[in-house]
Amino acid sequence: MKIRKLISIISILFVFGQMAAFAEENTVDFSNAQVSIKYYNRTVYYPGTADEAPVLVHVTIKNNGPETLRFKLADDRSFSMDFNAYTVKNARLEQTENIIEKRTTNQTVYFREIALEQGEEYSFVENVKNFLKIEDPSVYYLELFFYPELYKSKYLTLKSNRLTLEVRPSPSAASSNFVAVKSETVELLKPQDISPDKVVEQTIIARQKSLWDQYFLYMDIESLIQRNPSLKKKYITVSAEERTRMIQSFKGDLMQSRIENDIVAVPESFQIEKTTYSPTEGSVTVIEWFKYPNFSEKKRYTYKVWQREGIWKIYDYTVVNLGTE
C-alpha cells in the first residue's frame, strides 16, 4: 500500500514537473518583438518554380522593448517560419512538397540563437516559392508567421504585416520571344507575308477566340507601349533587359484588360470597311459590333500598320463610337 502511495506521489510530481517546465518555456516574452516583410528588389511576379520566377521577400525581426530579445533561427528557414497566402476569396495556397517532406522526416535541425538589444534588428531575404505553390496568375495576400522557438514550438508565433502579391500571366504566354503554337495542331506559328487586311482580320479573330499567342503575332508591342507618353519616356531610357520586362508586363496587362481596353475588347462581329497601304505603311478600317445585355454598340476602328522585314504589323489604332443599335 505504501509502495502504491509512493508511486502515485512520484507520478504526480513528475506531471507537475512537466507542467512547470512547459509553463517556464511559455513565459518567454516576445511581446516586444516585431516581424515585418517587404519585397526585395520588387519586380513583376509570375507563376513558375522558385529558381525560374522567384518571389524574394526581405524579412526583419526587431526588438522594440528595453530587454534583450533572444530567439532561435534555423539554418534551414523552413523550421523557423511559414509564408501564408490567400486569394481574394480567402482560399489558402498549398505548401510545397519539399516543406511538407522536411517537417515530416526525422532529422537534426541546426540553429543559432540571435540576441537583439533595444532598437536592434536582424534581417534576411527568403524566397516565398520555397514555401508555397504559386501556380496561377492572381492577386494574393501574403503574410509571414515566424517561430522564435522553431517550428516544433508553433504555439509561439510572431505574425508579420500583410503584402499584396500580384502574380501576372506567365511570360511564356506573353513575352516577346515566345514560341507560339496553333491550338489545334503542333505546328509552330510564324508570322506570314500576308496583306494588311488579313493581318487585322486574323488578329481580331484570335482575340474573339482568346488565342493570345496568335493575337500577339502581328502586334508591334514596342510601338503600342510608346503610345503612352509616360511609358515612352521610360522605355527609351532604360536598358534592353528592362525593356524586355516592360514588354512582358504590357502584354500581361493587355491579357488582364488592365490597359488599352479598346484594342482588347471582344467584338461579336466585324466587317472590314476599307484598306489602303503603300509599300511600307497602311491603314485598315473596320466596323465592329459589341453586344451587351440590352443593346449593341457599333464602333469604327482604324488600325495603322507598317511593314517590318516583310511582315505587316499593327503599331497604332484609333476608335470612333458610332452609337448603339
Side-chain angles (χ1 to χ4, degrees):
M1 190 70 177
K2 289 182 179 180
I3 294 175
R4 285 185 182 178
K5 274 189 178 180
L6 183 60
I7 292 173
S8 298
I9 292 170
I10 292 173
S11 299
I12 292 169
L13 288 174
F14 177 78
V15 170
F16 275 109
Q18 291 288 87
M19 291 175 64
F22 183 82
E24 184 179 352
E25 192 174 10
N26 268 285
T27 58
V28 180
D29 183 14
F30 290 101
S31 60
N32 291 315
Q34 178 187 357
V35 176
S36 60
I37 57 175
K38 64 181 179 179
Y39 291 111
Y40 179 77
N41 291 339
R42 184 164 189 168
T43 183
V44 180
Y45 301 112
Y46 301 102
T49 66
D51 294 329
E52 295 171 349
V55 178
L56 300 179
V57 167
H58 189 270
V59 180
T60 299
I61 299 101
K62 183 177 181 180
N63 181 9
N64 290 324
E67 304 297 329
T68 302
L69 173 68
R70 289 184 171 84
F71 60 90
K72 297 180 176 68
L73 185 66
D75 294 346
D76 185 339
R77 301 284 194 262
S78 62
F79 293 100
S80 278
M81 52 192 277
D82 267 320
F83 281 104
N84 285 337
Y86 302 86
T87 67
V88 292
K89 295 183 178 179
N90 209 34
R92 183 176 171 179
L93 289 185
E94 294 181 4
Q95 292 181 320
T96 62
E97 283 83 0
N98 190 36
I99 286 284
I100 297 171
E101 182 180 352
K102 284 180 181 179
R103 291 176 176 174
T104 54
T105 302
N106 288 329
Q107 60 178 295
T108 302
V109 178
Y110 297 96
F111 67 89
R112 50 183 168 152
E113 186 172 87
I114 308 292
L116 299 179
E117 300 303 327
Q118 182 177 11
E120 289 184 341
E121 57 186 41
Y122 183 88
S123 300
F124 55 89
V125 176
E126 195 56 55
N127 189 345
V128 176
K129 289 190 177 179
N130 287 330
F131 295 78
L132 297 175
K133 295 179 182 178
I134 304 178
E135 299 174 335
D136 299 309
S138 185
V139 174
Y140 302 98
Y141 300 110
L142 179 70
E143 58 191 12
L144 178 139
F145 289 92
F146 184 75
Y147 310 124
E149 292 295 327
L150 304 183
Y151 179 76
K152 65 181 178 60
S153 302
K154 285 179 64 179
Y155 59 86
L156 282 174
T157 303
L158 302 177
K159 186 177 178 180
S160 77
N161 56 304
R162 178 175 284 191
L163 298 178
T164 300
L165 173 62
E166 182 178 358
V167 179
R168 298 189 176 183
S170 172
S172 62
S175 68
S176 59
N177 56 359
F178 68 91
V179 179
V181 180
K182 287 186 178 179
S183 59
E184 67 275 10
T185 70
V186 293
E187 179 185 352
L188 296 181
L189 278 177
K190 295 181 180 179
Q192 303 296 316
D193 180 11
I194 56 178
S195 62
D197 57 324
K198 287 296 182 183
V199 163
V200 171
E201 179 184 47
Q202 288 194 20
T203 300
I204 296 174
I205 292 174
R207 181 65 192 95
Q208 287 177 318
K209 296 181 178 181
S210 295
L211 300 174
W212 290 106
D213 49 2
Q214 297 181 36
Y215 175 77
F216 289 125
L217 201 59
Y218 297 101
M219 291 284 238
D220 187 338
I221 297 297
E222 292 183 72
S223 296
L224 291 176
I225 287 175
Q226 295 181 68
R227 279 166 46 90
N228 183 310
S230 60
L231 288 179
K232 179 179 179 179
K233 184 178 180 180
K234 180 180 179 181
Y235 187 82
I236 63 179
T237 58
V238 298
S239 65
E241 183 180 357
E242 180 62 26
R243 287 185 181 185
T244 299
R245 283 198 290 267
M246 286 185 69
I247 289 172
Q248 293 172 351
S249 176
F250 190 85
K251 286 185 175 183
D253 285 339
L254 283 175
M255 294 170 70
Q256 296 294 316
S257 299
R258 296 192 186 97
I259 57 173
E260 302 288 342
N261 289 329
D262 284 324
I263 202 168
V264 292
V266 183
E268 183 187 37
S269 59
F270 68 94
Q271 179 180 336
I272 294 179
E273 187 178 46
K274 183 181 179 181
T275 303
T276 59
Y277 58 98
S278 68
T280 56
E281 290 200 36
S283 65
V284 180
T285 304
V286 184
I287 303 297
E288 301 185 26
W289 288 267
F290 299 86
K291 188 175 180 61
Y292 299 96
N294 299 319
F295 65 95
S296 291
E297 194 172 25
K298 183 178 179 182
K299 298 183 180 182
R300 175 179 284 113
Y301 279 71
T302 301
Y303 297 92
K304 296 182 180 180
V305 297
W306 57 20
Q307 194 179 68
R308 294 291 184 269
E309 298 179 355
I311 302 298
W312 289 99
K313 289 200 170 186
I314 299 168
Y315 72 90
D316 200 356
Y317 69 97
T318 59
V319 183
V320 177
N321 291 319
L322 301 178
T324 57
E325 297 180 344

